[in-house]
């Protein structure tokens, strides 16, 4: 047995000599010299270290993402079919309700709704799932030293895989309703908008999942918050249908700006309003760093409460 | 040549609030802000613990249930942060606090090996290279392609143990998980641990059985209510612990069995 393990294993003594010291204290983590200085890394250093760490473990992160994604479908016999069926069923029923019962005068309502709903679902499902990600991964959080901030990110990325599949569905409907689509070079703006949305999700997710470990009602609060958020996000309507006094509420909501812009790109081939997009980007970045700060603070005690 | 220092605990302490219901809810946070605090007890699960470990040394941690052994181990493993003092480590840590932490029961043994090894810091390619070794050690053979939901609990535990043994850690933290599998497998585990010791891996092991401690460890500490009651060579501490526990008429027979 011993011989077997020695083959293909490196001599641990050498590795230890070169490995940096890691000091943990109640102030956080400090990496470096032999003797702890007692002043752990500041927020900027911690952030760059986290980015470096995430890059180092990217393979494992990907394994976690795929695991999260698969585990959502593995126990079901129809598996991924459900993730396509849900937006389709919603599209049909919402279109019937809005077009034929409420007589909303939006052209190509089915595509209008589908584009909005797919992005909205990405946002809302990711936020709700990331909120619970620490508790869902309790075993890993308590028993491994894998960087914890990657659990919410892994959850978000696994929803991103689903979104990319749903986008195939969205573009596939071009063959059914060609009149609803206009493809121009503005499609190039979609990755940027997606990035804004992802920053927003991770920002909110860090905040809620960090706090949810100590205050379990955050989960319910988040769910209610998402419901309210849905109605200030133009999924079922266009921003220009909103009365002027309510318009500012729409502009401070990065998710709404992203959805509106993506819809204009896919359906009308229009470049997004860059003022609005930069506003959305700015608030998403702010939310993101706020989330990082909350998470960094909570991280010290997460294992005690999980 | 002196072996390099790998673990240094200086005045380690872990403090908990003993509340009567957890988790705390928002209402309580609000009460706290309003100055209406509920009575909470202070609890130092571990306090004033210091030790140095060099590569190749094994520290045994003895103590009754609730004496702070597991808390100390989570601090060394770095899964929880100390409330006081510093724990400094150097090199890759493989925490073996519960077997099969991070297993996903819907995924196959193979997929779990890759995921788990990754969580312990092994790149995917390296995990695949060691796959056969891990499977052989766990004696799983064909069933490695089956979701571990269908494994027996012994099989799951063996797989967990095998992964932890085969990720070539620098520091191994083991919390009373050695009663795995049948007697033959246990002997194999012991041989594997001895092998790791020979290769210069630092270990921190919590155990109930003084016999085990004296067989494995160079040094030991005995915790009582979170404080160090005795520290010294493994034999000294194990003997003293044995006498104290059996002398008090408690657990005597259990110890003999173990």
């Amino acid at each position: 047995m011993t011989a077997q393990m020695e083959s293909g294993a490196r001599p641990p003594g050498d590795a230890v000599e070169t490995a940096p010291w890691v000091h943990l204290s109640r102030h956080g983590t400090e990496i470096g010299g032999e003797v702890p200085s007692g002043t752990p890394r500041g927020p900027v250093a911690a952030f760059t270290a986290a980015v470096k760490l995430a890059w180092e473990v990217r393979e494992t992160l990907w394994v976690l993402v795929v695991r999260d994604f698969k585990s959502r479908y593995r126990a079901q016999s129809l598996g991924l079919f459900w993730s396509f069926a849900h937006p389709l069923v919603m599209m049909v029923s919402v279109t019937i309700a809005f077009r034929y019962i409420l007589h909303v005068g939006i052209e190509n309502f089915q595509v209008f709704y589908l584009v909005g709903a797919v992005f909205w679902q990405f946002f809302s499902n990711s936020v709700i799932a990331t909120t619970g990600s620490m508790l869902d991964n309790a075993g890993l959080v308590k028993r491994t030293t894998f960087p914890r901030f990657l659990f919410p990110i892994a959850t978000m990325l696994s929803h991103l895989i689903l979104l990319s599949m749903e986008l195939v569905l969205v573009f596939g409907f071009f063959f059914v309703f060609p009149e609803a689509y206009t493809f121009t070079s503005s499609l190039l703006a979609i990755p940027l908008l997606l990035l804004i949305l992802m920053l927003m999700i991770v920002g909110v997710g860090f905040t809620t999942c960090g706090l949810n470990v100590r205050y379990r009602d955050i989960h319910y609060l988040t769910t209610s918050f998402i419901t309210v958020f849905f109605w200030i996000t133009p999924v079922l309507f266009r921003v220009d249908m909103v009365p002027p006094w309510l318009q500012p509420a729409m502009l401070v909501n990065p998710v709404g700006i992203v959805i509106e812009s993506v819809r204009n790109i896919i359906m009308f081939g229009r470049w997004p309003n860059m003022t609005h997009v930069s506003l959305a980007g700015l608030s998403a970045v702010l939310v993101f760093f706020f989330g990082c700060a909350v998470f960094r603070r909570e991280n010290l005690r997460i294992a005690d409460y999980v | 040549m002196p072996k390099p220092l790998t673990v240094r605990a200086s005045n380690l302490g872990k403090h908990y609030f003993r509340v009567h219901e957890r988790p705390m809810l928002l209402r309580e946070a609000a009460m706290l802000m309003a100055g209406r605090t509920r009575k909470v007890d202070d609890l130092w699960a571990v306090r004033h613990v210091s030790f140095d470990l060099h590569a190749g040394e094994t520290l045994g941690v003895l103590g009754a249930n609730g004496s702070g052994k597991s808390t100390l181990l989570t601090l060394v493993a770095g899964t929880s942060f100390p409330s006081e003092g510093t724990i400094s480590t150097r090199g890759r840590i493989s925490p073996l606090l519960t077997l099969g932490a991070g297993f996903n029961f819907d995924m196959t043994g193979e997929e779990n090996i890759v995921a788990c090894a990754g969580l312990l810091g092994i790149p995917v390619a390296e995990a695949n290279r060691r796959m056969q070794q891990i499977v052989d050690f766990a004696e799983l053979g064909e069933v490695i392609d089956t979701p571990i939901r269908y494994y027996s609990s012994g099989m799951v535990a063996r797989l967990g143990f095998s992964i932890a043994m085969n990720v070539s850690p620098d520091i191994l933290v083991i919390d009373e998980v050695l009663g795995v599998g049948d007697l033959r497998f246990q002997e194999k585990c012991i041989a594997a641990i001895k092998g790791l010791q020979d290769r210069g891996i630092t270990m921190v092991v919590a155990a109930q059985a003084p016999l085990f401690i004296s067989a494995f460890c160079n040094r030991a500490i005995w915790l009582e209510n979170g404080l160090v009651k005795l520290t010294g060579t493994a034999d000294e501490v194990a003997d003293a612990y044995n006498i104290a526990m059996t002398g008090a008429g408690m657990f005597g027979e259990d110890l003999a069995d173990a």
Side-chain angles (χ1 to χ4, degrees), chain A residues 10-21, chain B residues 4 6 55 90-92 168-170:
Chain A
R10 65 204 161 69
D14 296 358
V16 165
E17 296 270 16
T18 53
W21 279 99
Chain B
T6 48
R90 202 174 176 194
R92 182 158 64 218
S168 48
D170 301 310

Side-chain angles (χ1 to χ4, degrees), chain B residues 201-233:
Chain B
I201 283 169
T202 316
M203 281 191 234
V204 181
V205 186
Q208 277 296 335
L211 275 177
F212 175 88
I213 295 283
S214 44
F216 264 116
C217 307
N218 317 93
R219 294 164 44 202
I221 54 177
W222 171 5
L223 290 179
E224 196 174 75
N225 297 324
L227 299 171
V228 177
K229 170 122 177 182
L230 186 68
T231 169
T233 67

Side-chain angles (χ1 to χ4, degrees), chain A residues 1 5 10 12 16-17 19 22-24 26 59-60 67 70 74 140 142-143 145 148 214 216 303-304, chain B residues 14 22-24 77 79 82-83 87-90 92 98 101-102 106-107 111 124 137 166 168 199:
Chain A
M1 179 56 227
M5 289 210 312
R10 65 204 161 69
V16 165
E17 296 270 16
V22 177
H23 309 287
L24 299 187
R26 72 191 181 90
E59 279 187 353
T60 308
R67 195 178 82 147
K70 279 190 190 164
R74 188 155 281 195
L140 297 180
K142 278 171 101 158
R143 304 296 180 209
T145 47
R148 287 176 196 138
R214 271 203 298 164
R216 304 283 160 108
D304 305 339
Chain B
K14 181 77 189 179
R22 273 199 316 162
M24 242 165 95
T79 57
S83 324
I87 174 83
S88 308
T89 52
R90 202 174 176 194
R92 182 158 64 218
T98 38
D106 285 327
M107 307 192 72
E111 288 167 319
V124 174
F137 185 78
N166 287 289
S168 48
R199 286 180 43 222

Side-chain angles (χ1 to χ4, degrees), chain A residues 116-128 155-164 166 194 197-198 201:
Chain A
V118 160
F119 280 85
W120 170 257
Q121 294 282 333
F122 171 53
F123 175 76
S124 65
N125 291 344
S126 309
V127 166
I128 291 172
T155 309
M156 186 274 289
L157 288 177
S158 95
H159 281 87
L160 186 66
I161 300 181
L162 183 62
L163 173 72
S164 59
E166 288 174 344
L194 208 52
L197 200 56
M198 281 158 65
I201 291 168

Side-chain angles (χ1 to χ4, degrees), chain B residues 145-179:
Chain B
D145 299 329
T146 315
I148 60 173
R149 182 177 298 290
Y150 305 111
Y151 286 19
S152 72
S153 55
M155 286 156 101
V156 174
R158 270 177 0 227
L159 184 61
F161 192 83
S162 176
I163 295 172
M165 286 292 118
N166 287 289
V167 293
S168 48
D170 301 310
I171 301 166
L172 187 61
V173 181
I174 308 180
D175 189 5
E176 300 191 60
V177 288
L178 290 170

